Amino acid sequence: MVKGSSYVDDLEGKVLTLKVYADGEMRSIDSTRVVHGRFNFGGGMDSTMLANVFLGNLSLIPIVLEEGEVKLSIGETQQTATGTPLNDSLSGFIQRKTQLDARMAELPHIESQMIMDGTDYDEIMYELGKQSRQIADENDKLITRFIRDNYNNVL
């Protein structure tokens, strides 16, 4: 069972579709309408599988269909799927990866600020290079750990 809520006004009354990748294409396995910010996907399953929640042709969030109740939260800036071990793991990974990507995207702003502060160009390049390498190293470790921890499951 997948239960969800949305805090995005634009989703009210819209149909969300749960799709899985099978035989080379995305196939719908269930759909639901968002009513008062709430929605449910139901039905039985015979194995754990990776799925995606779609709004039309737009994938909103990947989820793992596994034993237990998956709780989806779809907001304007963050989407989470929690409540089961694999979904907790996937959501934690996505959240950490998003944080690292945001830190990397902030570097040009830091560069501009340092230039406006009159910092020497070589010093700027040294500092930003150091920060960029640190973020890239954290990213590599995060991805490697996620793959290592999940090599034997659908993630």
Side-chain angles (χ1 to χ4, degrees):
M1 167 80 67
V2 178
K3 291 188 174 187
S5 61
S6 172
Y7 305 100
V8 181
D9 291 336
D10 293 346
L11 289 181
E12 189 63 32
K14 300 286 171 84
V15 174
L16 301 178
T17 306
L18 190 61
K19 297 181 180 183
V20 296
Y21 188 76
D23 300 325
E25 63 184 26
M26 294 301 288
R27 294 201 175 161
S28 299
I29 59 172
D30 197 9
S31 62
T32 185
R33 187 172 300 278
V34 179
V35 178
H36 302 299
R38 304 268 182 235
F39 56 90
N40 291 303
F41 293 106
M45 60 181 199
D46 58 359
S47 65
T48 301
M49 62 182 86
L50 190 60
N52 283 279
V53 175
F54 279 81
L55 174 63
N57 291 326
L58 176 66
S59 176
L60 297 178
I61 182 171
I63 65 169
V64 179
L65 301 178
E66 63 181 317
E67 192 67 34
E69 185 173 290
V70 180
K71 297 176 195 90
L72 285 177
S73 178
I74 300 175
E76 289 186 19
T77 59
Q78 185 176 8
Q79 294 78 33
T80 60
T82 58
T84 61
L86 293 178
N87 280 295
D88 291 345
S89 178
L90 180 59
S91 283
F93 170 77
I94 291 170
Q95 182 178 25
R96 184 67 182 129
K97 178 79 170 91
T98 300
Q99 290 169 347
L100 289 172
D101 291 347
R103 283 178 49 201
M104 188 66 84
E106 181 67 16
L107 292 180
H109 174 73
I110 293 171
E111 177 184 19
S112 296
Q113 189 62 46
M114 291 174 82
I115 290 170
M116 289 176 26
D117 291 343
T119 306
D120 180 67
Y121 185 74
D122 290 336
E123 186 179 335
I124 293 171
M125 291 299 102
Y126 173 78
E127 182 60 35
L128 294 180
K130 186 170 86 173
Q131 288 182 36
S132 177
R133 285 187 299 277
Q134 179 185 2
I135 295 167
D137 186 48
E138 289 178 50
N139 191 50
D140 288 346
K141 288 177 182 175
L142 175 70
I143 292 169
T144 301
R145 184 173 48 249
F146 184 76
I147 291 170
R148 185 183 62 239
D149 292 348
N150 294 288
Y151 76 94
N152 62 347
N153 63 49
V154 299
L155 295 177

